[in-house]
Amino acid sequence: MSRAGSEGVTIRHRPSLDERVREAREKLGIVEARFDQFDVELHNMLEKQVTGRELSKYFDELLPPAETDRQKRRRAETLERFHTNFVNTTNTLPKVRGSAWAAYNAISEWADHQRKFRGKTEQVKAESRLNSMWFGASHNLKQRAYRSALELAKAN
């Protein structure tokens, strides 16, 4: 179904249309089951209203510790951005406001749209951002943030 290290659905070429349809239905059932699982996870996160202490701990644990003054300054700026994102207009919609889902959204907003990337040209910066979002540090941060938000929601 998937190649090593990747996710997705692959339908093999088969001589029989019936075999291809059967395989597609089987694999689409797996996709449907994952959507159903996501729906449950999303609703659990939406139902969990986080306290200020929980939110600070959630954000703090997602970032590595800082050692140098520069790292401490950047870490503090990033944490401030997370908190700002948590209360921005997209996260204050009814049922989203104050939830574990809003906390996750605060992280993904920063990782996908606000994180700074280096490059000599805007295209190089954009390619670095995309690579990070799909495969790199931003992707990894969002995965950790999602798992942490699910754990936070379980504490409900």
Side-chain angles (χ1 to χ4, degrees), residues 5-59:
S6 67
E7 295 181 10
V9 176
T10 302
I11 306 296
R12 297 192 192 324
H13 180 74
R14 304 210 187 268
S16 164
L17 178 60
D18 288 338
E19 286 180 44
R20 284 184 282 188
V21 169
R22 181 195 52 74
E23 183 180 8
R25 282 188 177 144
E26 177 183 307
K27 291 186 178 177
L28 289 174
I30 293 168
V31 171
E32 183 179 0
R34 178 59 187 116
F35 277 121
D36 290 345
Q37 179 185 353
F38 174 72
D39 184 59
V40 169
E41 293 168 351
L42 171 62
H43 282 89
N44 287 340
M45 285 188 269
L46 286 169
E47 289 173 14
K48 170 62 177 172
Q49 291 294 301
V50 295
T51 66
R53 181 177 291 158
E54 288 172 324
L55 184 66
S56 292
K57 182 179 180 202
Y58 171 77
F59 289 155

Side-chain angles (χ1 to χ4, degrees), residues 33 55 73 77 149-150:
L55 184 66
R73 190 172 51 254
E77 290 168 359
L150 283 176

Side-chain angles (χ1 to χ4, degrees), residues 40-110:
V40 169
E41 293 168 351
L42 171 62
H43 282 89
N44 287 340
M45 285 188 269
L46 286 169
E47 289 173 14
K48 170 62 177 172
Q49 291 294 301
V50 295
T51 66
R53 181 177 291 158
E54 288 172 324
L55 184 66
S56 292
K57 182 179 180 202
Y58 171 77
F59 289 155
D60 187 61
E61 289 179 350
L62 289 169
L63 294 177
E67 296 174 10
T68 67
D69 287 342
R70 181 177 180 210
Q71 289 173 339
K72 289 175 185 175
R73 190 172 51 254
R74 289 187 69 185
R75 189 177 199 283
E77 290 168 359
T78 302
L79 287 170
E80 183 178 334
R81 176 48 69 181
F82 290 169
H83 283 277
T84 299
N85 289 349
F86 181 71
V87 295
N88 76 17
T89 55
T90 58
N91 271 336
T92 57
L93 297 171
K95 296 189 178 183
V96 174
R97 178 182 296 130
S99 69
W101 179 250
Y104 169 74
N105 280 338
I107 301 295
S108 64
E109 173 74 15
W110 178 82

